[in-house]
Amino acid sequence: MQVDEATVRRIARLARIKISDAEAKGLETELSGILDWVKQLDEVDTANVEPMTRVVAHKLKMRDDVVTDGEIADQVTANAPLAEDNFFVVPKVVE
């Protein structure tokens, strides 16, 4: 796939990168090469390949989904300017 100078300048503008005319010419060739390499990946037959997230199969450890207060409410509210029954007391903002 060929990338022209207008496309390079548009990409640079979207990325908020300032490029000179010489850099734009160099980037045309570089980006075209990268896109040609990516196009080669279309030739690979992946019809029978299972989707994966990593090379080695790994199962995540599961834990019980239990709601707790962490059992450290006193420590959490210890430095609060104002606390009551292990809750932060804040000024009323809605009337």
Side-chain angles (χ1 to χ4, degrees):
M1 178 176 186
Q2 277 302 107
V3 177
D4 60 348
E5 186 176 348
T7 304
V8 170
R9 292 199 178 278
R10 183 166 188 265
I11 292 169
R13 183 179 57 80
L14 290 171
R16 302 203 189 292
I17 299 171
K18 185 176 181 179
I19 58 172
S20 66
D21 293 335
E23 289 172 324
K25 289 290 182 193
L27 287 172
E28 276 183 62
T29 307
E30 196 170 329
L31 288 174
S32 295
I34 292 170
L35 291 175
D36 287 339
W37 180 78
V38 170
K39 188 163 179 63
Q40 287 179 2
L41 295 176
D42 289 338
E43 298 171 7
V44 177
D45 181 22
T46 59
N48 296 323
V49 177
E50 289 289 325
M52 60 184 196
T53 58
R54 58 186 54 189
V55 177
V56 178
H58 181 68
K59 193 164 185 150
L60 294 176
K61 295 178 184 175
M62 302 296 284
R63 63 175 172 82
D64 293 334
D65 190 12
V66 181
V67 177
T68 67
D69 65 355
E71 301 174 2
I72 58 168
D74 293 331
Q75 295 173 14
V76 171
T77 58
N79 290 327
L82 196 54
E84 186 176 305
D85 295 328
N86 294 328
F87 291 99
F88 294 99
V89 178
V90 296
K92 184 177 181 179
V93 292
V94 179
E95 293 187 31

